[in-house]
Amino acid sequence: MSRVLMRGNEAIAEAAIRAGLKCYFCYPITPQGELVEYMARELPKRGGVFLQAESEVAAINMVYGAAAAGVRTMTSSSSPGISLKQEGISYLAGSRLPCVIVNMMRGGPGLGNIAPAQGDYFQATKGGGHGDYRLIVLAPSTVPEAAQLVMLAFDLADKYRVPAMILGDGMLGQMMEPVELPPPVDPSSIPEKPWALTGAEGREPNVILSFDLSPQGLREMNRVLQDTYREIERSEVRWEEVETADAEIVLVAYGTMGRIAKTVVERAREEGIKAGLLRPITLWPFPYEPLRELAERVPTILTVELSAGQMWEDVRLAVEGRAKTPFYGELGGVVPTPREILSEVKKHVSS
Amino acid sequence: MSQVSVEIPPGYQKVFGRPRALSDAPYTYCPGCHHGIIGRLIAEAIDELGIQGRTVGIAPVGCSVFLYRFYRCDFIQAAHGRACAVATGLKRANPDLIVFSYQGDGDLAAIGTAETVHAAARGENFTVIFVNNQIYGMTGGEMAPTTLPGQRTVTTPQGRDVALTGYPLKISEMLAQLDAPAYITRQSVHDARHVQLARKAILKAFRNQLEGKGFSLVEVLATCPTNFRMPPVEAQKWVTEKAMQFFPLGDLKVRDE
């Protein structure tokens, strides 16, 4: 293990290379420029392919081709660029091609700005492109966690043949922190991909499709996807709980907001407020069950997001009226301070 | 369908048969359509170069979306217009593969213009077969980027008015201006002589890839009798009397020659 000071964007890039990344395709956009630069500098030296595409649309379709060839492949962008990739993501999901997509979210809609935001939650967790599909969505809240989750994203994508997304934001990308980088993955430990397009020498041809003109056939393709998603929901829900055992109010926040909410919980405790935190690490599959269990005994579940309340909908689905579910959010790239959130917490506790 | 095997009697020699790279699946094209001829020429090139076991084809969106059924090699279907980006990913990930895309005019010269031009500009080492029939076939005969001035389609019912919709895109001429491409040519399959010329061009486009020469594109003028609303014989005349006037045949760029 090596301990180094890195930006979030760089740590993600380095972790991806250590995960066995072979092909990275990109189109420049702020605030994930350092990720692109790191890849341009490092990936070719370490036996991989770096290619700057003519558009995000082209980049995601290059990922589609490289994933079909059976290698570990990735693209990264930020909100407007991720919108452009949605067609390709739908095809990747439909064709069951594993890959990793990094979205360092910025303010939206439209061109928005380059400040940190969480307005792409719906897009990431509910589909984004057309059709009934899901991505595995991992939301790191610190730079070391980002490095870990990138490695995990490649493993989960390969295991389930489902594209995985790292959903960060501009703050995580720019922030520098000490990181203990995981050792490089042994290439022989990466599972075989007998479905990959490697040339049909000595076997029946492999064909990769996301279509079937017969409704019955397409229903079967969809059933395979849905069965896979149910399996992921059973096995891969990840979350962190902080001080929830005796909590009278639990905050729900992810990513950068999850980190800030942790500070809020500490300060609330210092003032005698029994606050806790549930921080989803997988946004899909969402930790519905742990939240439901908390809602059985905690009177107030406060959702805090850098959006108008996108994850809030999943929180309310989990709680189903068992507790009060207030919301506190900021928009446009404004990041609330722990003090502002704490005063919101105080509105909802009886003491 | 089952393979019919015929024993060749002593003293006889087999001089013509189904290419090995073609599967037994019957074509799904309309009568008189040129896709079938072009598809066979590709299979003949694969056979001649002995590359069936390392070839990956890319099927487009359109009438040839079922292309993967017709070949005995690995295949992927690409989103509309994105085949050159998908080919780039495949070939960069595994340079030992022989990668070809098969695209119509709407796919390659309208929605996929950017992917096509930039793959050509990078000199990506794969082969593109571009079928230009001047119309959208699968969706029902709409105007294509290559629809001729005055040509009637369902979205130009009075004939293509260049004042409203501009002129056809001569994408091969455009690509020939780039530095990187190895081979850009326009062919036709409207008669036996031209089928042979197209066969040679397609073979060359695949051989270029084997030799690492870079981007090769063979444009093939084709008919769509169904959407031209013409009998096949009349559609053949359309190629020589109309299409070839606007899209002259011949090599537009041959590097190293």
Side-chain angles (χ1 to χ4, degrees), chain A residues 23 49 51 54 57-58 61-62 64-66 68-69 71 87 91 197-201 203 205-209 211 213, chain B residues 53-54 56 65-66 68 72-80 82 85-86 88-90 92-93 97 114-115 118 122 124:
Chain A
C23 290
V49 173
L51 186 61
E54 63 273 21
V57 176
N61 281 283
M62 291 173 186
Y64 185 73
V71 304
E87 175 200 49
Y91 274 73
L197 307 183
T198 53
E201 191 67 57
R203 61 159 167 76
N206 282 342
V207 176
I208 291 176
L209 304 171
F211 84 106
L213 288 189
Chain B
R54 53 192 281 220
V56 176
V65 71
F66 292 121
Y68 63 91
R72 295 182 200 277
C73 58
D74 282 3
F75 246 92
I76 186 168
Q77 194 275 322
H80 198 202
R82 314 300 175 219
V86 177
T88 299
L90 275 162
R92 296 272 184 149
L97 297 176
E115 285 79 1
H118 285 273
R122 289 190 301 267
E124 296 289 346

Side-chain angles (χ1 to χ4, degrees), chain B residues 104-217:
Chain B
D105 40 55
D107 187 89
L108 182 137
I111 196 166
T113 310
E115 285 79 1
T116 307
V117 170
H118 285 273
R122 289 190 301 267
E124 296 289 346
N125 190 31
F126 56 74
T127 303
V128 178
I129 308 300
F130 166 36
V131 180
N132 174 2
N133 62 7
Q134 305 106 55
I135 206 154
Y136 283 80
M138 185 78 127
T139 46
E142 296 85 354
M143 181 184 74
T146 49
T147 290
L148 299 178
Q151 185 180 341
R152 282 172 194 260
T153 70
V154 297
T155 50
T156 55
Q158 310 301 319
R160 182 173 187 169
D161 179 353
V162 293
L164 290 174
T165 58
Y167 287 86
L169 212 63
K170 294 181 176 176
I171 193 110
S172 291
E173 279 82 348
M174 289 165 61
L175 295 175
Q177 302 306 308
L178 298 170
D179 295 315
Y183 182 45
I184 308 287
T185 185
R186 184 181 291 120
Q187 303 291 329
S188 175
V189 289
H190 65 276
D191 63 24
R193 186 174 78 85
H194 286 90
V195 168
Q196 289 312 309
L197 292 172
R199 193 183 74 82
K200 281 182 189 157
I202 289 171
L203 184 63
K204 181 180 174 68
F206 274 92
R207 185 171 280 136
N208 281 350
Q209 185 178 167
L210 268 176
E211 294 171 358
K213 285 188 176 165
F215 191 86
S216 297
L217 180 143

Side-chain angles (χ1 to χ4, degrees), chain A residues 200-334:
Chain A
E201 191 67 57
R203 61 159 167 76
E204 285 298 302
N206 282 342
V207 176
I208 291 176
L209 304 171
S210 65
F211 84 106
D212 192 323
L213 288 189
S214 104
Q216 287 75 16
L218 190 59
R219 181 176 61 185
E220 281 316 301
M221 282 178 67
N222 270 279
R223 278 192 178 150
V224 171
L225 293 182
Q226 293 302 321
D227 289 348
T228 308
Y229 300 152
R230 297 298 87 74
E231 173 63 26
I232 295 170
E233 285 169 342
R234 280 191 293 275
S235 313
E236 305 297 347
V237 179
R238 286 168 170 82
W239 74 99
E240 182 191 14
E241 286 185 39
V242 180
E243 306 265 22
T244 53
D246 64 342
E248 288 172 3
I249 181 167
V250 164
L251 282 71
V252 185
Y254 71 93
T256 287
M257 277 316 302
R259 180 180 202 152
I260 297 170
K262 213 178 267 188
T263 306
V264 173
V265 168
E266 278 170 31
R267 296 207 184 154
R269 290 270 165 180
E270 283 163 17
E271 295 189 24
I273 301 166
K274 289 181 177 171
L277 168 69
L278 186 144
R279 180 175 68 86
I281 296 170
T282 50
L283 297 179
W284 194 87
F286 188 78
Y288 288 110
E289 270 312 308
L291 249 178
R292 198 187 318 275
E293 283 167 23
L294 279 179
E296 298 284 356
R297 55 187 167 85
V298 180
T300 306
I301 309 277
L302 170 65
T303 306
V304 188
E305 279 180 87
L306 299 176
S307 81
Q310 298 193 11
M311 181 180 66
W312 189 29
E313 294 193 0
D314 281 325
V315 173
R316 285 182 290 168
L317 273 175
V319 172
E320 283 185 313
R322 293 177 184 85
K324 281 185 281 182
T325 51
F327 173 74
Y328 181 69
E330 265 298 0
L331 294 169
V334 176

Side-chain angles (χ1 to χ4, degrees), chain A residues 72 105 147:
Chain A
R72 286 196 159 175
M105 286 183 283

